């Protein structure tokens, strides 16, 4: 909406997606929502206010039933939900035609919660066990920067940033009861507060043959009475030997004060965001890249090739067999620290920019590994998100002046996952899984085709657009995660021998048509 000095945009989306797991007796139900809002206000010619709001969340429910029961007896259910909220207010002030500033105040929150419920029977006594885990982070941040245009080819940007972090690493509860009363009821509450400050400066150059960006950042991170200081230099240079060819290279050093802790075993995939502490020190990385961009056939096409290598230190990972569940203590007790990581790859992007048919083809060949002293016998292993080949093809075709067709096809080689390499039988009737190296198998390759047709359609005084789309046109059953199951439960390590342990694959997003209508007023 545009009215006078003000303008704003509001959008909302809600979706629910039940998915039957055809490989075992159970039901997965997924739903998500997001709401966006943007508000702009022109105070005068030199001052503008911008307000951005966002909230969104995902919920996944899984129920598992005993396939041998006659009444759909529940053996396991879990609920996972996570989401983000954001509010940011920015004040843009113009001092002169060559100098302006931005002051931004923001608040960000991320929450993750998981609950697991399982009934069981032992010696004719019924047990009900429920575990809950909550993890999250909230940030309050202020950022002030000034940009000065010395001349059309040279500018300088400098600023200050301060962020207060409020972490909830692993709040946990465990409750178990029977028909005769409560067996156990325990809880653990955790919190870590940290403060991050930074001063940064950079200069941007853009001349006929060459250009670049040279700068640095001085960061200070305070947590649990300890302070870490880091200097982060950054250099990006580019050179145009010919009109349609640009060569570029970059070198960057960065420190990260939030750890990503990933679970890559069989079972529901989880990522947690944990604070850097004196026990799990801030991560450090160095990245180098080289590349080129070529304009072809009078700028109708462009070709971009980039090669990069990144090294990382002070990484963290779960110890073998460890989990946040059941750890009623500091989260650092279940992780290995001091890990080393390497990522390298080549990215290729070919674009068609003009004509009735436009689009692009991108291909990435990459490798990402992790190495810890006490994991995998000290040998490097593939990272959870190590995708060796990634291909994306996007085609947009203007059928006529009003109707547009779009096709998106994605392919990715399978992600690594830790699975058992075998099983053995004991006590004549029971089986136990045998585990091997970290991330020793790969999920099946991922590929999917999405299609959409967009055309204008006015309703009354409103100018609008209809969109008819289909997700997963050929109904590819891509793996969401793998899990083990026996006749008595879900995600277990042992099983009754009369059926035994089996590996199953959970899929998500089947063939899914949809219709949407958007309008302006």
């Amino acid at each position: 909406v545009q009215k006078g000095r003000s303008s704003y945009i509001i959008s909302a989306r809600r979706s629910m997606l039940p998915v039957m797991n055809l490989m075992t007796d159970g039901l997965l139900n997924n739903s998500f929502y997001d709401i966006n809002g943007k508000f702009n206000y022109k105070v005068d010619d030199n001052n503008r206010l911008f307000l951005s709001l966002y909230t969104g969340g995902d919920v996944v429910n899984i129920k598992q039933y005993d396939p041998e029961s006659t009444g759909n007896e529940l053996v396991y259910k879990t609920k996972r939900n996570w989401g983000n909220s954001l509010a940011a207010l920015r004040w843009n002030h113009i001092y002169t035609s060559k100098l302006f500033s931005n002051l931004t105040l923001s608040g960000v929150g991320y929450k993750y919660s998981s609950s697991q419920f399982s009934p069981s029977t032992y010696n004719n006594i019924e047990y009900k066990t429920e575990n809950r885990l909550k993890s999250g982070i909230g940030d309050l941040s202020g950022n002030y920067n000034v940009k000065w245009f010395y001349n059309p080819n040279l500018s300088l940007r400098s600023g200050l940033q301060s962020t207060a972090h409020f972490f909830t690493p692993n709040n946990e509860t465990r409750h178990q009861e029977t028909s005769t009363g409560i067996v156990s009821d325990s809880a653990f509450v955790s919190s870590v507060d940290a403060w991050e400050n930074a001063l940064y400066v950079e200069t941007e150059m853009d001349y006929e043959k060459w250009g670049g960006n040279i700068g640095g950042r001085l960061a200070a991170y305070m947590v649990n009475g300890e302070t870490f200081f880091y200097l982060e230099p950054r250099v990006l240079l580019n050179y145009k030997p010919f009109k349609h060819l640009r060569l570029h290279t970059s070198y960057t050093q960065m420190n990260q004060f939030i750890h990503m802790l990933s679970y890559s075993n069989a079972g529901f995939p989880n990522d947690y965001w944990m604070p850097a502490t004196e026990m799990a020190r801030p991560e450090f990385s160095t990245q180098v890249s080289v590349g080129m961009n070529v304009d072809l056939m009078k700028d109708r096409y462009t070709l971009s090739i980039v090669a990069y290598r990144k090294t990382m230190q002070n990484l963290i990972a779960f110890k073998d067999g460890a989990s946040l569940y059941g750890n009623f203590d500091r989260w650092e007790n279940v992780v290995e620290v001091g890990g080393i990581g390497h990522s390298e790859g080549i990215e290729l992007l070919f674009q068609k920019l003009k004509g009735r048919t436009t689009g692009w083809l991108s291909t990435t060949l990459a490798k990402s590994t992790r190495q810890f002293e006490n994991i995998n016998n000290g040998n490097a292993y593939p990272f959870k998100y190590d995708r060796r080949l990634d291909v994306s093809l996007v085609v947009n075709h203007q059928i006529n002046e009003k109707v547009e067709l779009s096709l998106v096809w994605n392919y990715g080689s399978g992600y690594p996952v830790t699975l058992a390499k075998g099983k053995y039988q004991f006590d004549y009737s029971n089986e136990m899984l045998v585990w091997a190296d970290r991330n020793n198998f790969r999920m099946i390759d991922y590929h999917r085709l999405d299609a959409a047709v967009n055309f204008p359609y006015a309703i009354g005084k409103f100018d609008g657009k209809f969109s008819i789309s289909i997700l997963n046109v050929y109904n590819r059953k891509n793996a969401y995660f793998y899990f083990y199951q026996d006749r008595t439960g879900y995600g277990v390590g042992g099983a009754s021998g009369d059926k035994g342990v089996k590996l199953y694959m959970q899929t998500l997003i089947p063939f899914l048509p949809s219709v949407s209508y958007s309008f302006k007023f």
Side-chain angles (χ1 to χ4, degrees):
V1 176
Q2 179 75 46
K3 185 178 181 180
R5 296 181 176 181
S6 303
S7 64
Y8 59 90
I9 300 172
I10 300 176
S11 67
R13 180 175 58 174
R14 172 71 174 175
S15 177
M16 299 185 68
L17 181 63
V19 181
M20 280 299 299
N21 185 344
L22 301 180
M23 302 186 68
T24 185
D25 295 84
L27 175 66
L28 181 148
N29 187 294
N30 171 247
S31 65
F32 63 87
Y33 77 93
D34 55 63
I35 301 173
N36 288 278
K38 294 184 179 181
F39 305 86
N40 304 331
Y41 180 71
K42 183 178 180 181
V43 180
D44 53 42
D45 290 340
N46 295 324
N47 295 279
R48 293 175 181 265
L49 294 175
F50 303 86
L51 176 63
S52 298
L53 302 171
Y54 170 82
T55 184
D58 290 72
V59 178
V60 175
N61 289 285
I62 300 175
K63 293 182 179 181
Q64 207 68 36
Y65 301 97
D66 185 349
E68 296 187 357
S69 67
T70 57
N72 288 332
E73 180 181 346
L74 180 70
V75 295
Y76 176 89
K77 72 175 180 179
T78 181
K79 179 180 180 181
R80 314 288 174 97
N81 57 283
W82 60 93
N84 293 279
S85 297
L86 163 69
L89 177 64
R90 179 166 64 93
W91 170 37
N92 173 256
H93 177 68
I94 300 174
Y95 293 96
T96 68
S97 60
K98 294 185 176 182
L99 181 66
F100 70 88
S101 67
N102 283 292
L103 173 64
T104 304
L105 303 176
S106 62
V108 180
Y110 170 78
K111 293 183 178 181
Y112 170 88
S113 66
S114 172
S115 64
Q116 297 179 351
F117 173 80
S118 58
S120 60
T121 301
Y122 182 73
N123 288 339
N124 295 323
I125 299 178
E126 293 184 356
Y127 290 82
K128 295 181 179 179
T129 303
E130 184 173 16
N131 297 308
R132 292 182 179 272
L133 171 66
K134 292 184 178 181
S135 182
I137 176 176
D139 288 348
L140 293 177
S141 180
N143 188 340
Y144 180 76
N145 66 74
V146 176
K147 190 165 186 177
W148 175 45
F149 292 91
Y150 178 73
N151 59 43
N153 306 111
L154 182 64
S155 64
L156 179 71
R157 188 168 74 98
S158 181
L160 294 167
Q161 180 181 6
S162 182
T163 302
H165 299 289
F166 306 94
F167 293 92
T168 303
N170 60 316
N171 285 1
E172 296 189 59
T173 61
R174 178 181 174 86
H175 180 83
Q176 188 178 56
E177 64 179 35
T178 69
S179 56
T180 60
I182 297 176
V183 177
S184 64
D185 200 355
S186 53
F188 176 76
V189 178
S190 64
S191 65
V192 176
D193 297 338
W195 191 19
E196 177 185 348
N197 296 287
L199 168 66
Y200 55 92
V201 60
E202 65 179 8
T203 179
E204 296 180 10
M205 300 161 286
D206 186 12
Y207 294 92
E208 181 179 358
K209 287 288 187 179
W210 64 276
N213 184 310
I214 300 175
R217 183 174 182 264
L218 178 63
Y221 177 74
M222 286 153 277
V223 61
N224 296 335
E226 187 168 351
T227 303
F228 301 89
F229 290 98
Y230 298 99
L231 180 63
E232 303 172 338
R234 304 176 183 185
V235 178
L236 169 64
L237 300 174
N238 58 72
Y239 174 64
K240 293 181 66 174
F242 309 106
K243 179 179 179 182
H244 299 289
L245 174 64
R246 182 169 67 91
L247 307 176
H248 54 87
T249 184
S250 68
Y251 174 83
T252 305
Q253 288 187 0
M254 293 178 289
N255 293 275
Q256 183 170 302
F257 306 118
I258 301 177
H259 293 287
M260 185 179 74
L261 183 59
S262 298
Y263 182 80
S264 60
N265 291 3
F268 196 92
N270 291 314
D271 290 328
Y272 307 99
W273 298 99
M274 298 299 182
T277 65
E278 68 280 8
M279 296 176 64
R281 299 176 67 86
E283 298 177 10
F284 172 74
S285 68
T286 301
Q287 180 168 311
V288 178
S289 70
V290 294
M292 70 174 187
N293 295 78
V294 183
D295 298 324
L296 305 170
M297 297 182 65
K298 298 182 179 180
D299 297 336
R300 292 176 60 90
Y301 302 90
T302 63
L303 175 65
S304 172
I305 302 175
V306 178
Y308 67 90
R309 178 172 174 82
K310 183 177 183 180
T311 60
M312 294 156 279
Q313 300 177 20
N314 296 334
L315 303 179
I316 66 173
F318 277 114
K319 294 180 179 179
D320 287 335
S323 170
L324 287 180
Y325 278 102
N327 175 52
F328 287 76
D329 203 341
R330 293 186 59 163
W331 65 272
E332 293 99 331
N333 293 337
V334 297
V335 303
E336 296 287 349
V337 299
I340 299 174
H342 296 280
S343 295
E344 55 193 6
I346 298 176
E347 300 176 352
L348 183 148
L349 175 65
F350 180 74
Q351 292 179 278
K352 185 177 185 297
L353 304 175
K354 299 179 180 179
R356 294 179 59 184
T357 302
T358 59
W360 67 85
L361 171 66
S362 65
T363 302
T364 301
L365 296 172
K367 181 181 180 181
S368 183
T369 61
R370 298 291 186 266
Q371 187 172 11
F372 292 81
E373 182 179 356
N374 298 316
I375 297 178
N376 213 49
N377 296 317
N379 299 316
Y381 62 89
F383 179 49
K384 174 183 176 180
Y385 295 111
D386 173 53
R387 174 159 277 175
R388 298 299 172 88
L389 176 61
D390 190 287
V391 180
S392 294
L393 175 63
V394 177
V395 178
N396 299 309
H397 179 67
Q398 198 73 36
I399 299 175
N400 54 45
E401 294 182 356
K402 295 183 177 181
V403 181
E404 181 185 47
L405 170 68
S406 64
L407 298 172
V408 179
W409 184 76
N410 293 305
Y411 170 85
S413 56
Y415 285 129
V417 62
T418 304
L419 299 177
K421 68 175 183 179
K423 58 184 178 180
Y424 66 90
Q425 188 172 338
F426 68 100
D427 291 342
Y428 301 102
S429 61
N430 294 321
E431 291 180 345
M432 185 64 66
L433 298 175
V434 179
W435 302 92
D437 298 336
R438 180 73 62 96
N439 291 343
N440 55 335
F441 288 92
R442 287 188 178 267
M443 304 170 74
I444 63 171
D445 291 351
Y446 176 98
H447 53 86
R448 195 180 93 195
L449 174 66
D450 300 335
V453 177
N454 305 311
F455 55 92
Y457 190 86
I459 298 180
K461 298 180 180 180
F462 301 125
D463 292 330
K465 180 178 70 173
F466 258 117
S467 295
I468 302 174
S469 62
I470 300 175
L471 296 180
N472 201 357
V473 172
Y474 49 83
N475 198 32
R476 164 69 174 179
K477 290 181 172 57
N478 291 300
Y480 186 34
F481 62 89
Y482 294 108
F483 62 91
Y484 291 98
Q485 179 187 300
D486 67 0
R487 75 174 183 87
T488 60
Y490 176 94
V492 294
S496 298
D498 57 350
K499 183 174 181 180
V501 182
K502 291 186 178 181
L503 178 67
Y504 294 92
M505 181 183 76
Q506 177 64 60
T507 63
L508 192 66
I509 307 181
F511 174 86
L512 184 66
S514 66
V515 177
S516 64
Y517 181 73
S518 59
F519 59 91
K520 299 179 181 180
F521 62 92

